Amino acid sequence: MTQLKEFINANRTLFVVVSFAVTMYVQHVSNTAQITELTSKCKDLELKIEEQYKNIDAIKLDKAVFEATITQFTLMHSDLREMRADIKELLKSITRNG
């Protein structure tokens, strides 16, 4: 133990440089692991976003189909009212003439 203390005291500059290098290496390894993890999370989020865009597109399509259907029903409804009015007029004219 005393030999280690004497070695460190005698070679302080070397000890500081080696400690600094080891610390930098540990930080590099840690940062690389964090970058890899963040990249993976980013890819997962991009996939989720793409799924959400697909869902939104499907909803937009459903909305467009719904609006077209409602428009058609409205047109059919007004056509049926016209037909009903025409049939009533025909029946009135038949009962008057008949």
Side-chain angles (χ1 to χ4, degrees), residues 10-11 14 17 23 35 37 42 65-66 70-71 80 83 87 91 93:
N11 299 303
L14 177 65
V17 170
T23 303
I35 288 171
E37 181 182 345
C42 185
V65 169
F66 176 75
I70 292 300
T71 302
L80 285 173
M83 288 170 47
I87 291 171
L91 287 174
S93 68

Side-chain angles (χ1 to χ4, degrees), residues 2-16:
T2 57
Q3 290 177 346
L4 180 62
K5 287 182 182 178
E6 288 176 13
F7 178 76
I8 292 173
N9 285 333
N11 299 303
R12 283 186 186 236
T13 305
L14 177 65
F15 181 72
V16 169

Side-chain angles (χ1 to χ4, degrees), residues 4-62:
L4 180 62
K5 287 182 182 178
E6 288 176 13
F7 178 76
I8 292 173
N9 285 333
N11 299 303
R12 283 186 186 236
T13 305
L14 177 65
F15 181 72
V16 169
V17 170
V18 170
S19 297
F20 179 75
V22 169
T23 303
M24 290 298 289
Y25 176 75
V26 169
Q27 285 181 343
H28 169 71
V29 170
S30 174
N31 288 341
T32 303
Q34 287 178 346
I35 288 171
T36 303
E37 181 182 345
L38 289 173
T39 302
S40 174
K41 286 181 180 181
C42 185
K43 287 179 183 177
D44 291 342
L45 289 174
E46 286 175 356
L47 288 174
K48 286 180 184 179
I49 288 171
E50 187 65 32
E51 287 178 21
Q52 292 302 320
Y53 276 127
K54 287 179 183 177
N55 289 341
I56 289 171
D57 289 342
I59 290 170
K60 286 180 183 177
L61 179 63
D62 288 346

